[in-house]
Amino acid sequence: MNCLKRLYSLDTDVAEEAPVLVLNQNYEPLNVCNIRRAIVMIFNGKAEVVELNGHKVNTSTSSYHCPSVIRLAHLVRRPRPRVRLSRREVFIRDKYTCQYCGKKTKDLTLDHVVPKSRGGRHTWDNLVSACRSCNHRKGGKSPDEARMRLLNKPSEPKVSPYYIFVQKLQHSPTDGWEKFLPVSVSHS
Ligand SMILES: [Zn+2]
């Protein structure tokens, strides 16, 4: 392995920077790694090549076809992907719609349904998008006290197993990846 690392440290091929899609043993997309890591996993018998990206990495003794998709030899259990709680993600969940008056706008505020001053928590089920005027009207009151009704009961958004790849694919080449990802994701 040290020998392999030394060989690869000599290589200057830009293809080495290309991302490699890592599939679980059941072909579900699991992660993204670099070519160096992918080749080490293949040499270790931890993964097999599924797709090549058409480039070669040349070392002092031989040359290797660069993988663009690899598959793990063993099934890895993984937790359900979750959306990180942020203002932006709350707005996306609420489709940029004020959850009190239904106005669609980009000029939104984050409203704590149960106000923080009453012990309301900073959680998916206590945060909603509110337009400025609704937020002002609600102030530090609960929806009941302010006589304002929520359009939807807030909760943590469910995500597909492909969620983590959306952002990575936006600035990565995807040689051979599209077979393993939904079309809408691979072209987003
Ligand atoms: Zn509103």
Side-chain angles (χ1 to χ4, degrees):
M1 192 46 53
N2 284 337
C3 172
L4 183 70
K5 278 181 185 159
R6 196 169 70 244
L7 290 176
Y8 273 90
S9 68
L10 298 172
D11 174 63
T12 55
D13 192 335
V14 287
E16 198 178 339
E17 299 302 318
V20 179
L21 178 65
V22 182
L23 302 176
N24 209 338
Q25 190 261 344
N26 63 3
Y27 289 93
E28 259 187 16
L30 193 65
N31 213 334
V32 173
C33 72
N34 61 26
I35 297 239
R36 182 189 300 263
R37 170 96 187 114
I39 289 177
V40 168
M41 286 165 75
I42 290 159
F43 270 74
N44 282 341
K46 288 184 178 166
E48 63 172 16
V49 176
V50 177
E51 297 280 336
L52 298 168
N53 72 6
H55 294 277
K56 279 187 175 180
V57 170
N58 298 308
T59 70
S60 55
T61 53
S62 48
S63 90
Y64 300 89
H65 293 282
C66 292
S68 63
V69 181
I70 62 171
R71 175 189 170 220
L72 297 184
H74 299 286
L75 193 68
V76 170
R77 288 174 68 88
R78 60 164 176 183
R80 182 168 64 95
R82 301 180 76 170
V83 181
R84 200 163 59 88
L85 178 59
S86 68
R87 287 168 61 85
R88 186 168 165 268
E89 294 293 350
V90 170
F91 298 162
I92 290 170
R93 179 199 65 187
D94 295 341
K95 302 185 174 65
Y96 288 91
T97 304
C98 172
Q99 293 300 293
Y100 293 104
C101 71
K103 183 174 154 190
K104 220 171 161 60
T105 173
K106 292 264 162 131
D107 190 23
L108 287 166
T109 63
L110 203 57
D111 174 61
H112 287 79
V113 179
V114 175
K116 277 197 281 192
S117 57
R118 309 274 185 86
R121 294 187 305 151
H122 196 78
T123 50
W124 282 110
D125 56 3
N126 193 48
L127 289 167
V128 294
S129 312
C131 73
R132 288 186 186 280
S133 70
C134 284
N135 199 328
H136 183 73
R137 200 178 127 207
K138 183 166 173 281
K141 299 192 278 278
S142 71
D144 279 350
E145 289 165 347
R147 294 171 185 255
M148 293 167 79
R149 275 189 57 172
L150 282 169
L151 298 179
N152 304 293
K153 186 173 156 43
S155 61
E156 182 178 338
K158 291 195 169 60
V159 292
S160 85
Y162 306 106
Y163 173 76
I164 61 164
F165 301 100
V166 176
Q167 284 172 325
K168 285 175 180 166
L169 281 173
Q170 280 170 351
H171 42 77
S172 299
T174 59
D175 309 278
W177 290 22
E178 55 286 337
K179 285 182 218 164
F180 305 99
L181 297 168
V183 170
S184 60
V185 170
S186 60
H187 290 284
S188 64

